[in-house]
Amino acid sequence: MSITAIILTYNEAIHIERAIRSIQPFADQICVVDSGSTDDTRDIARQLGAEVHTHAFINQARQFQWALDTLDIRGPWVLRLDADEIIEPDLAHRIATELPGLPADVVGINFKRKHIFMDRWVRHGGRYPLVMLRLWRHGHGRIEDRWMDEHMVVWGGRTVTFEGGFADHNLHDLGYFTDKHNKYATREAIEVLNQRLHLFARDEALNAHSASAQAAFKRWVKERVYNRIPFTLSAALYFLWRYIFQLGFLDGRSGLVYHFLQGYWYRFLVGAKVMELERAVAHLDDKNLICTELSRLTGHRLVAQPEAAPVPNVQPPPLATRL
């Protein structure tokens, strides 16, 4: 049962060898799609037998969908892996031994991701397990066209969940963490503004059948409940919910750092950026002018489009481009 793995990279020399070696026991084809690394990422990947492709980066979703649409994917199964993620030996063994025996109506497989922060597993605060669809039959899956919080979605069958170790373990320092989340906050602010102003088509393919029920529920809560509460209140409530009621305090001092930064500071920053951008375009009525101004302020090229109909999960219809 052949598997093609796709890994997106940009200056991931610190991570790429670890990621590739974690999937070599079961992946027959490993494709690295790089967006112009200036370190040794591409050389390391080639030395480990990966196919290396270069493509200009717009956002995570566009980059990964380009890989699905363009690369010569030879395996009947496709794996999505981030460069700072690891498939641990128990899950690698399960994939290798159980994948060939799955019935034909299974088109997607969820993994239970754990987060390693400051070299410690964040076990509480609602952070484990994060159930994510990461392995699917080729031709039955695509990635959501979103600026942030994009998920793989599948059609034509059902999904199952494999037990086993799947870890997000970034080796960079806190400066990298905060810089990355600052960029994430800008992209998420774009999604929130689009939800409110209907600037361009929104990909609504995520549901309990197309991916994991957990991911679909969390999306629903965020967009239908959380985003409608003033961020000055919602960020504090979310942090308290995670840290106290979901027992985040049991993760120790490093856990406090993580839950505060990711569960309060980041959520507050998203809300502040939404407020800033809303004020910047409050005097504009035309969607094209709004997108032009948002593009200038965020550095992301946004183009106004009419609302699209909900995307069905029976085929991978091309979504209207925002470029």
Side-chain angles (χ1 to χ4, degrees):
M1 184 61 69
S2 179
I3 297 174
T4 295
I6 300 175
I7 306 174
L8 305 187
T9 59
Y10 177 71
N11 288 343
E12 292 287 358
I14 194 173
H15 295 124
I16 190 62
E17 180 176 356
R18 186 187 65 177
I20 290 176
R21 290 198 183 281
S22 79
I23 59 177
Q24 282 178 329
F26 62 86
D28 304 278
Q29 180 187 17
I30 300 174
C31 299
V32 169
V33 179
D34 189 78
S35 52
S37 291
T38 57
D39 62 7
D40 296 330
T41 298
R42 287 173 286 190
D43 290 337
I44 295 171
R46 289 192 185 99
Q47 291 168 8
L48 292 170
E51 302 174 14
V52 178
H53 308 265
T54 302
H55 187 255
F57 187 85
I58 298 173
N59 60 37
Q60 197 86 354
R62 298 289 178 80
Q63 190 80 333
F64 198 87
Q65 192 60 47
W66 177 88
L68 289 179
D69 294 339
T70 308
L71 301 185
D72 179 21
I73 296 176
R74 298 190 291 272
W77 289 87
V78 183
L79 171 75
R80 175 189 176 187
L81 188 74
D82 291 345
D84 59 357
E85 293 176 337
I86 315 160
I87 301 294
E88 295 179 356
D90 59 338
L91 179 56
H93 177 73
R94 182 164 191 181
I95 293 170
T97 57
E98 296 190 20
L99 196 66
L102 290 178
D105 68 326
V106 174
V107 297
I109 299 172
N110 299 307
F111 298 157
K112 294 182 176 181
R113 192 175 78 172
K114 58 186 177 183
H115 193 86
I116 310 298
F117 182 78
M118 290 185 167
D119 294 325
R120 291 191 61 181
W121 179 1
V122 182
R123 295 173 179 265
H124 305 94
R127 302 306 291 171
Y128 182 80
L130 296 179
V131 184
M132 300 178 171
L133 193 145
R134 288 304 187 90
L135 183 61
W136 64 95
R137 292 188 190 270
H138 183 38
H140 286 266
R142 66 171 179 84
I143 195 166
E144 290 183 291
D145 186 20
R146 284 180 168 242
W147 283 97
M148 188 63 193
D149 192 31
E150 68 287 335
H151 288 264
M152 296 304 309
V153 292
V154 295
W155 57 87
R158 61 188 177 94
T159 65
V160 297
T161 300
F162 275 8
E163 300 290 338
F166 171 45
D168 175 342
H169 186 182
N170 194 290
L171 300 174
H172 288 294
D173 61 14
L174 280 176
Y176 181 91
F177 178 92
T178 53
D179 179 63
K180 180 177 71 171
H181 280 75
N182 180 45
K183 295 173 182 175
Y184 283 174
T186 298
R187 287 158 46 191
E188 186 157 353
I190 291 172
E191 287 291 344
V192 174
L193 285 175
N194 188 37
Q195 179 185 2
R196 295 179 181 179
L197 303 178
H198 310 288
L199 301 173
F200 40 76
R202 301 182 72 234
D203 195 338
E204 305 283 3
L206 179 66
N207 58 53
H209 302 290
S210 65
S212 80
Q214 183 199 66
F217 176 72
K218 292 177 74 171
R219 167 79 58 77
W220 185 89
V221 171
K222 184 170 71 172
E223 295 190 346
R224 302 296 180 87
V225 180
Y226 181 91
N227 285 348
R228 298 181 180 182
I229 302 173
F231 76 92
T232 50
L233 176 62
S234 60
L237 291 176
Y238 178 57
F239 169 71
L240 292 174
W241 170 252
R242 274 175 55 162
Y243 195 68
I244 296 177
F245 296 98
Q246 292 188 299
L247 307 181
F249 63 88
L250 294 177
D251 289 314
R253 285 197 303 171
S254 63
L256 173 59
V257 174
Y258 176 77
H259 291 301
F260 181 83
L261 290 178
Q262 206 274 338
Y264 178 74
W265 172 78
Y266 171 68
R267 300 310 323 172
F268 195 93
L269 183 61
V270 171
K273 291 200 175 201
V274 171
M275 180 179 71
E276 179 182 53
L277 294 175
E278 277 187 323
R279 288 181 175 180
V281 300
H283 64 290
L284 301 174
D285 295 323
D286 184 89
K287 290 183 179 181
N288 291 304
L289 294 178
I290 293 174
C291 283
T292 297
E293 181 64 7
L294 291 177
S295 298
R296 185 186 69 82
L297 293 170
T298 65
H300 297 294
R301 188 182 177 193
L302 309 174
V303 178
Q305 294 173 350
E307 277 290 303
V311 180
N313 294 315
V314 295
Q315 58 182 356
L319 292 174
T321 180
R322 298 177 195 167
L323 296 179

